[in-house]
Amino acid sequence: MTERFIYLDNAATTPVRWEVRDAMLPFLGDEAFGNPSSSHRFGRTARAGLETARRSIAESLGAKPSQVVFTSGGTEADNLAVIGAALAARDRGGPFRVAVSAVEHKAVLAAAEAVEYLGGERIVLPVDEAGRVDLDVLREAIGRGVAVVSVMWVNNETGLITNLADVADVCGEAGTPVHTDAVQAVGKISCALDHSAITMLTISGHNIGAPKGIGALITRDPQMVSPLIHGGGQQQGVRPGTENVSGAVGLGTAVGLAVAEREKAASHTRNLRDDLERQLQAAIPDIDINGAAGERAPHISSVSFAGTDAESLMMHLDMAGIACSSGSACSTGSLSTSHVLSALGTPPERAMGSLRFSFRKDNSKQDVDRVVEVLPAVVAKVRKLAEKMEGRNV
């Protein structure tokens, strides 16, 4: 009998959808391989594919095609937004200062640190246990003058939906640009630029069925950010370099599908998430659901198992054919407590034993039932081993 593997780490990455792959194939072969900056027919065909992708993304997210800047992924888009806006503000004689929430993805936090390294200043905005930014601290920061405020839409570790709308309103009143990392929001919750005060928005392809290595920064005014890469004049000079045409086509297709399928997929993944949490609470009563105090996106469940460590839990689950994570896959290998859970006030002993399960539309109730079948015994085993190790160290 073939062993069945269960993948519940969809917040880390997803497989490329067949619709996306089929859309990309012509731009990888003899049909449309040209450089989109070339004026001959091969270049024009590539340029047409690129602009179609740009329009698809813009229409799906309430933007204009000219506002879509393709990047190598979410990390580059976050860096372009945070560092690029800070450099542009400095060059205009404005504040060389950025404000970011304490629960941001490392791409945003590291970008803010880079601004500090370049001689600027970073302000870290605290959040409450529901992941909401302290608006009084935000207003104080804006009063000092900031080039950009960056607050993610959906947290990648807990699924918590931030109070981004309130943040954007406060920033809008002050005329301060606001950026959001929407990597975990697109296709999961309703998100768009056309009816909000959000200035810039980051998306990533591999989280919604497109390939790795493609993403975009959507910005109301591309000239509000200074380029981090220098070269030709592609993409209005904001992100020069020969564009990844096939990747852009894949991203455009994936965004269109994710937005169109959002309501049905969200209902399905929410049911799976709630079922998993309900069954785990019945089987292991002393667990904690991280982020339960706030509103969450439907596809992520972060669960703490006191008296364990996440690495041991994941190893045993992997041996049983179940893939999940301890939080952000971008922090794999780090033995430190999650900065997100720490910012939410989670005690270290709970944070160290936290697992993230993340779903997509292709997951099933059978996947959930298998996790519940395996996990209680794994938790008991890891706790027993931890007790033995603690006894030896006394």
Side-chain angles (χ1 to χ4, degrees):
M1 182 178 178
T2 303
E3 185 176 1
R4 179 169 175 269
F5 294 97
I6 296 171
Y7 185 76
L8 295 178
D9 197 16
N10 293 284
T13 196
T14 58
V16 176
R17 296 182 56 157
W18 67 265
E19 303 97 326
V20 171
R21 183 176 64 248
D22 286 355
M24 293 174 62
L25 282 176
F27 299 90
L28 294 169
D30 294 339
E31 296 179 46
F33 66 91
N35 188 318
S37 295
S38 299
S39 57
H40 49 63
R41 68 180 61 196
F42 295 98
R44 293 197 303 272
T45 301
R47 169 61 61 180
L50 192 67
E51 294 310 318
T52 297
R54 209 185 296 274
R55 279 197 305 275
S56 176
I57 293 169
E59 290 171 1
S60 297
L61 299 177
K64 299 176 182 177
S66 62
Q67 297 172 331
V68 179
V69 179
F70 290 111
T71 66
S72 64
T75 293
E76 185 191 342
D78 283 344
N79 275 257
L80 180 58
V82 175
I83 302 174
L87 292 174
R90 183 192 65 179
D91 294 345
R92 294 193 303 267
F96 194 35
R97 183 181 298 113
V98 298
V100 301
S101 89
V103 294
E104 293 302 300
H105 189 281
K106 287 293 182 70
V108 168
L109 294 177
E113 291 173 2
V115 170
E116 195 171 44
Y117 177 79
L118 292 171
E121 183 181 349
R122 67 182 169 109
I123 300 172
V124 178
L125 306 170
V127 300
D128 62 17
E129 63 178 358
R132 296 177 296 239
V133 170
D134 188 317
L135 297 181
D136 290 333
V137 176
L138 173 63
R139 291 188 181 94
E140 181 182 347
I142 291 175
R144 296 172 57 191
V146 294
V148 64
V149 172
S150 186
V151 175
M152 68 196 328
W153 210 319
V154 172
N155 184 262
N156 56 299
E157 292 192 28
T158 63
L160 278 169
I161 301 173
T162 67
N163 56 335
L164 176 63
D166 296 333
V167 169
D169 286 343
V170 171
C171 291
E173 291 171 3
T176 300
V178 57
H179 162 256
T180 185
D181 181 325
V183 167
Q184 296 297 335
V186 174
K188 314 303 190 302
I189 64 173
S190 177
C191 56
L193 281 179
D194 51 355
H195 297 300
S196 71
I198 298 168
T199 317
M200 295 181 283
L201 181 149
T202 287
I203 61 175
S204 174
H206 72 96
N207 301 94
I208 53 173
K212 300 169 184 64
I214 186 68
L217 177 67
I218 302 172
T219 171
R220 291 186 184 277
D221 178 8
Q223 299 308 313
M224 71 175 295
V225 294
S226 291
L228 305 184
I229 297 173
H230 302 276
Q234 296 93 339
Q235 301 200 87
Q236 305 174 66
V238 176
R239 205 288 190 175
T242 302
E243 297 93 340
N244 175 1
V245 179
S246 62
V249 169
L251 180 62
T253 304
V255 170
L257 288 168
V259 172
E261 298 171 352
R262 178 183 63 81
E263 291 187 9
K264 184 177 180 180
S267 176
H268 177 66
T269 56
R270 181 180 293 106
N271 288 338
L272 294 178
R273 181 200 66 188
D274 292 348
D275 187 28
L276 174 68
E277 292 177 355
R278 192 163 45 243
Q279 289 198 61
L280 286 180
Q281 286 173 321
I284 316 171
D286 61 347
I287 67 170
D288 291 286
I289 307 300
N290 298 312
E295 182 184 4
R296 292 183 292 160
H299 67 302
I300 293 177
S301 175
S302 175
V303 187
S304 287
F305 306 89
T308 71
D309 69 276
E311 293 298 321
S312 295
L313 294 175
M314 286 192 299
M315 179 188 69
H316 283 89
L317 288 174
D318 186 51
M319 291 171 63
I322 299 169
C324 64
S325 76
S326 59
S328 171
C330 302
S331 300
T332 298
S334 173
L335 295 178
S336 61
T337 302
S338 159
H339 72 280
V340 171
L341 296 183
S342 295
L344 295 175
T346 306
E349 62 273 14
R350 274 180 48 200
M352 291 298 290
S354 291
L355 294 178
R356 180 187 68 181
F357 300 93
S358 47
F359 302 89
R360 70 177 189 277
K361 69 182 185 66
D362 298 318
N363 288 120
S364 66
K365 177 168 172 49
Q366 287 70 34
D367 295 339
V368 170
D369 291 343
R370 176 59 177 161
V371 172
V372 177
E373 178 186 353
V374 171
L375 190 50
V378 168
V379 171
K381 183 176 182 179
V382 173
R383 283 175 171 173
K384 188 173 182 179
L385 289 172
E387 289 172 1
K388 285 184 178 179
M389 292 300 296
E390 185 176 344
R392 289 177 185 174
N393 295 329
V394 171

